[in-house]
Amino acid sequence: MSNSRMDTMTRIVRWSLPVLVLSAGIGGAFLMVSNPASSLADPDAPTPDPLADAATVTTVSPLAGPHAPQLQLYARYQSRRSIEITSPITTEVDSVPVRVGDRVEAGQVLVRLDGMELQRQVNQLEARRQDLLARQALEAKQHEADQQAVAVERNLLDIARRSVERLRNLAQRNLSSASDLEAAERTYQNQLLALQQRELAIARYENVQQQLQAQLAELDSQLDQARATLDDATVTAPFAGRVSDVQAETGGRVSTGAPLLRLIDDRETELLAWAAAPALDRVADLTRLDGYLDGPDGSVPVTLNGYDPAADGGSLQLYFKPADTGSGLVLNRYYRLWLDLPRVSAWAVPDASVYSNAFVYRLDDNRLRRIPVQVMGERYQDGRLWRLVQGDLSADDALLATRLKDAAQGLAVKVAQP
């Protein structure tokens, strides 16, 4: 074979080989497109999940009623009897034998004040009283002497009158001088004046005694008050309780009416809460309400112990009594209180199930369906907040119990496995 023929064959082979490879590739691709491989043919191939990207949620069935709606309040635990003890005088504080938080019994000393000034006042009033008693005794003796002397005064007046008459008879016969008659008449007038003064003194004795007795009664009242104030300088507890807010300091000076300390009766306690009057419009008898509060040691049952019947700015003042006074409640602190209202026919659903206070979602074939509801109230039970609603629900419904931000009609979801 010649060299030219060999070159021609080499060039043909060189160009035909890529064409054959390309043709084989195109044919194979055509076969794959025209006959795609079925996944059913491969038992090990994964099955696609249409809910793969759906949110996982939990469901709950509504609880049939009737249920008692609850009104959430915030109640202040306080003492029914509390007193602020003030200083009866302006003086210095000798001692304060109690501290904040101490329990005291009735009559126990709380504060001792300096009573020297009060003692001086008592001494002055007692001296004035002794003076009045001495004046009363002196007036009594003078009255007795006047009664004894009035008879003598009358006799002396009779003698003076007879002397004047005798001298007049003698003067008519020129047997007596005019000067002797004038002297007798002067003696008679003086004796008459003395008798009148004596009789006036006897007549005014009762009035003088009444005046002195009135002054003595007024002085006795002042003295009793001064003695009571002196006794008050030793401040004692008016009732058994606990000391609160001590302001008096040993050695300090206090003025009359200045607060010394506060005493509260921690055995006579109550809970005070304010409620909106419209929230209780459906309650015919408030005295039949009860509930419970969240105490530090758990739930504490409470009963309505009284209320202010006059609404103040649309609010009612309610007074509750805890069933257990040893429940660990702290005075002057606020606690959340749940007040049970009259029962209503409604469904109880978790708070997370209610959207916009107007509807819930029911799961139908892993799709959300919006159900309109009317909220009738709420109830806190078993550590959860339940909403009481009325609507087209049944006990077999599976309601959405997971709070979703993007919950909407027809949204696909999947239920978490128990």
Side-chain angles (χ1 to χ4, degrees):
M1 186 178 293
S2 65
N3 290 333
S4 62
R5 189 174 179 179
M6 290 290 295
D7 291 339
T8 301
M9 293 294 294
T10 300
R11 284 194 298 269
I12 293 173
V13 171
R14 185 182 301 171
W15 286 101
S16 62
L17 185 58
V19 173
L20 292 175
V21 173
L22 181 59
S23 300
I26 294 174
F30 178 77
L31 290 176
M32 292 179 64
V33 173
S34 60
N35 297 299
S38 174
S39 60
L40 296 179
D42 187 359
D44 297 329
T47 301
D49 186 1
L51 300 177
D53 297 331
T56 302
V57 299
T58 58
T59 61
V60 65
S61 297
L63 304 178
H67 301 281
Q70 290 179 320
L71 183 62
Q72 181 178 340
L73 306 174
Y74 286 91
R76 182 174 182 263
Y77 188 56
Q78 63 183 22
S79 172
R80 296 181 60 185
R81 182 164 56 167
S82 174
I83 183 174
E84 184 178 65
I85 298 178
T86 59
S87 175
I89 55 175
T90 299
T91 185
E92 293 183 354
V93 179
D94 280 348
S95 63
V96 184
V98 295
R99 296 182 299 177
V100 174
D102 288 352
R103 170 166 288 283
V104 296
E105 298 299 326
Q108 183 174 336
V109 176
L110 302 177
V111 180
R112 291 187 177 90
L113 302 174
D114 183 7
M116 292 183 60
E117 184 176 348
L118 286 176
Q119 186 62 58
R120 286 194 296 269
Q121 183 180 358
V122 170
N123 294 340
Q124 292 173 359
L125 292 173
E126 288 178 343
R128 288 177 56 190
R129 188 176 190 278
Q130 293 297 326
D131 179 63
L132 282 176
L133 291 175
R135 287 177 59 187
Q136 275 189 323
L138 182 61
E139 290 289 341
K141 290 181 179 180
Q142 183 63 44
H143 178 65
E144 183 179 357
D146 288 340
Q147 286 179 327
Q148 294 174 358
V150 69
V152 177
E153 296 286 353
R154 289 193 180 101
N155 290 334
L156 291 175
L157 181 62
D158 289 340
I159 293 172
R161 184 177 63 254
R162 288 195 300 270
S163 177
V164 170
E165 291 175 353
R166 185 174 59 251
L167 288 174
R168 283 177 180 173
N169 292 331
L170 293 173
Q172 290 176 357
R173 290 178 291 174
N174 295 321
L175 298 176
S176 174
S177 64
S179 59
D180 291 338
L181 179 59
E182 291 177 357
E185 289 177 347
R186 186 181 304 111
T187 300
Y188 173 77
Q189 294 295 331
N190 289 336
Q191 192 60 47
L192 178 61
L193 181 61
L195 176 61
Q196 291 175 346
Q197 291 178 346
R198 187 78 64 178
E199 290 176 343
L200 179 61
I202 294 174
R204 63 187 290 270
Y205 170 74
E206 293 297 333
N207 293 334
V208 172
Q209 285 296 328
Q210 290 178 1
Q211 291 177 351
L212 292 177
Q213 191 63 35
Q215 295 177 16
L216 184 62
E218 181 180 1
L219 190 60
D220 285 341
S221 176
Q222 296 177 0
L223 186 58
D224 290 342
Q225 183 177 359
R227 286 170 177 168
T229 305
L230 179 60
D231 292 339
D232 290 342
T234 302
V235 181
T236 58
F239 53 84
R242 195 173 295 276
V243 178
S244 170
D245 190 24
V246 176
Q247 301 185 38
E249 296 181 357
T250 301
R253 187 166 182 81
V254 293
S255 58
T256 303
L260 301 176
L261 53 80
R262 178 171 291 278
L263 182 66
I264 59 175
D265 188 349
D266 58 347
R267 296 175 181 173
E268 291 291 332
T269 56
E270 64 185 2
L271 289 152
L272 170 62
W274 290 88
L280 300 175
D281 285 344
R282 294 190 302 108
V283 182
D285 186 1
L286 293 178
T287 60
R288 301 178 63 88
L289 296 179
D290 54 15
Y292 62 91
L293 61 83
D294 294 335
D297 300 328
S299 297
V300 179
V302 297
T303 56
L304 187 64
N305 198 35
Y307 64 95
D308 184 354
D312 182 9
S315 298
L316 288 177
Q317 213 171 11
L318 306 177
Y319 297 93
F320 297 90
K321 185 176 182 59
D324 181 11
T325 56
S327 54
L329 301 180
V330 180
L331 285 172
N332 298 327
R333 288 191 181 178
Y334 285 87
Y335 295 92
R336 185 169 61 173
L337 186 148
W338 296 93
L339 181 63
D340 290 334
L341 301 178
R343 294 178 176 271
V344 296
S345 178
W347 299 93
V349 299
D351 178 60
S353 298
V354 181
Y355 286 78
S356 301
N357 259 5
F359 51 85
V360 297
Y361 286 103
R362 183 172 63 199
L363 267 70
D364 292 337
D365 295 332
N366 291 327
R367 298 281 179 176
L368 297 183
R369 181 183 176 188
R370 181 180 296 179
I371 307 296
V373 294
Q374 180 182 1
V375 178
M376 305 301 296
E378 59 186 21
R379 182 171 182 83
Y380 191 80
Q381 187 170 341
D382 300 330
R384 298 177 63 185
L385 180 61
W386 295 79
R387 307 292 291 276
L388 306 181
V389 300
Q390 292 179 345
D392 187 15
L393 301 176
S394 70
D396 298 330
D397 287 342
L399 301 183
L400 177 64
T402 303
R403 196 71 178 182
L404 297 178
K405 292 183 179 180
D406 55 351
Q409 175 79 6
L411 179 67
V413 294
K414 57 184 176 181
V415 180
Q417 298 299 322

